[in-house]
């Protein structure tokens, strides 16, 4: 009931209050026929009062700075207070205890919503496309293959052997084609390229 009353007041003000209009213009237009004209007039004068304007300015300035939790899960504050008082045998909880309960309720609610959003067991996509294949991620395709430590070690050893063979080949070619400037130029380029990726490689 209290929620409906708050919602009604919010809708009434959102439809009836306009900063660009004067009081008489707002009073002349009642957005809801259920509202008594004399009461609505008092309400409009309250909205436009200097005291109310000060509160509105303060609230607008403070709202962006608000970082506290505003949700307590499915239970409202009076119900939670009553439950905690009953559990503590008549001792009312302090504000700190209430705040702690609010944080716990918010955290559990967020966790539940996260779990629900990632529950793909019975969703429409699964019914159409079937179960995911091994090594694939939904809507992303194949996962990058990560080599094992033994495979990496084998690959590094093989590369080292190939570099040694290349070094020996360059030596042989330089001896046989010492007089050919074009071949020597190619061999120098190979020397440079290998030395960039392998610091232990010694130029001949």
């Amino acid at each position: 009931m209290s929620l409906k009353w708050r919602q009604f007041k919010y809708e009434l003000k959102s439809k009836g209050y306009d900063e660009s209009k004067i009081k008489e213009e707002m009073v002349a237009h009642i957005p809801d026929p259920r509202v008594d004209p004399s009461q609505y007039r008092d309400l409009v004068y309250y909205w436009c009062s200097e005291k109310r304007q000060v509160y509105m300015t303060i609230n607008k300035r403070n709202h962006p700075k608000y970082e506290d939790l505003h949700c307590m899960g499915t239970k409202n504050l009076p119900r939670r207070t009553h439950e905690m008082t009953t559990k503590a045998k008549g001792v009312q909880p302090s504000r700190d205890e209430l705040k702690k309960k609010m944080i716990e309720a918010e955290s559990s609610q967020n966790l539940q919503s996260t779990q629900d959003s990632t529950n793909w067991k019975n969703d429409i996509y699964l019914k159409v496309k079937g179960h995911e294949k091994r090594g694939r991620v939904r809507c992303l395709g194949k996962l990058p293959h990560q080599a094992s430590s033994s495979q990496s070690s084998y690959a590094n050893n093989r590369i080292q052997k190939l570099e040694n063979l290349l070094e020996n080949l360059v030596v042989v070619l330089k001896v046989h084609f010492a007089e050919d400037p074009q071949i020597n130029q190619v061999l120098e380029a190979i020397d440079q390229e290998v030395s960039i990726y392998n610091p232990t490689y010694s130029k001949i």
Side-chain angles (χ1 to χ4, degrees):
M1 190 70 179
S2 60
L3 181 63
K4 288 289 182 185
W5 174 237
R6 283 178 60 191
Q7 188 176 358
F8 173 74
K9 290 191 291 182
Y10 168 77
E11 289 174 358
L12 188 66
K13 186 176 181 182
S14 62
K15 292 175 183 175
Y17 181 73
D18 190 348
E19 292 180 352
S20 63
K21 294 180 180 178
I22 60 174
K23 297 174 190 175
E24 284 71 22
E25 288 177 324
M26 285 189 273
V27 169
H29 174 68
I30 302 176
D32 196 306
R34 295 172 292 177
V35 180
D36 183 82
S38 61
Q39 291 181 350
Y40 186 69
R41 180 183 178 83
D42 294 339
L43 184 60
V44 169
Y45 274 79
Y46 169 71
W47 287 340
C48 298
S49 65
E50 189 176 339
K51 183 180 177 181
R52 185 61 187 166
Q53 292 298 320
V54 170
Y55 284 145
M56 285 172 65
T57 306
I58 293 170
N59 289 339
K60 283 180 182 177
R61 189 171 61 242
N62 289 340
H63 183 71
K65 302 174 186 176
Y66 186 72
E67 296 177 352
D68 215 352
L69 294 168
H70 65 279
C71 182
M72 296 179 291
T74 56
K75 298 179 184 177
N76 58 23
L77 185 60
R79 183 180 169 191
R80 194 172 292 279
T81 306
H82 175 72
E83 285 182 358
M84 290 175 71
T85 305
T86 306
K87 195 173 182 181
K89 297 179 180 177
V91 180
Q92 272 202 326
S94 64
R95 291 184 66 178
D96 289 338
E97 289 173 333
L98 278 171
K99 188 172 181 180
K100 187 178 177 183
K101 277 287 180 186
M102 287 165 62
I103 292 170
E104 288 173 3
E106 177 72 8
S107 301
S108 62
Q109 192 173 3
N110 287 342
L111 180 63
Q112 183 62 39
S113 63
T114 305
Q115 289 173 345
D116 291 342
S117 64
T118 55
N119 184 12
W120 293 343
K121 287 185 179 177
N122 296 311
D123 66 351
I124 296 171
Y125 185 90
L126 182 68
K127 290 174 184 175
V128 175
K129 300 293 286 183
H131 289 283
E132 292 294 321
K133 294 177 180 152
R134 185 173 178 177
R136 289 176 177 269
V137 176
R138 172 177 291 199
C139 302
L140 294 179
K142 288 185 178 179
L143 288 171
H145 179 68
Q146 187 176 3
S148 63
S149 57
S150 59
Q151 287 176 323
S152 299
S153 176
Y154 172 77
N156 289 335
N157 289 336
R158 186 154 181 79
I159 289 168
Q160 187 66 47
K161 286 178 182 179
L162 289 171
E163 285 173 351
N164 291 337
L165 287 171
L166 183 60
E167 184 180 352
N168 294 334
L169 179 62
V170 169
V171 171
V172 172
L173 291 174
K174 278 189 176 181
V175 171
H176 281 79
F177 299 99
E179 305 297 328
D180 193 327
Q182 287 184 342
I183 291 181
N184 279 320
Q185 191 177 0
V186 172
L187 294 175
E188 286 295 330
I190 293 172
D191 268 346
Q192 271 188 339
E193 195 68 27
V194 175
S195 63
I196 290 172
Y197 293 100
N198 184 12
T200 60
Y201 178 78
S202 57
K203 283 189 177 184
I204 305 301

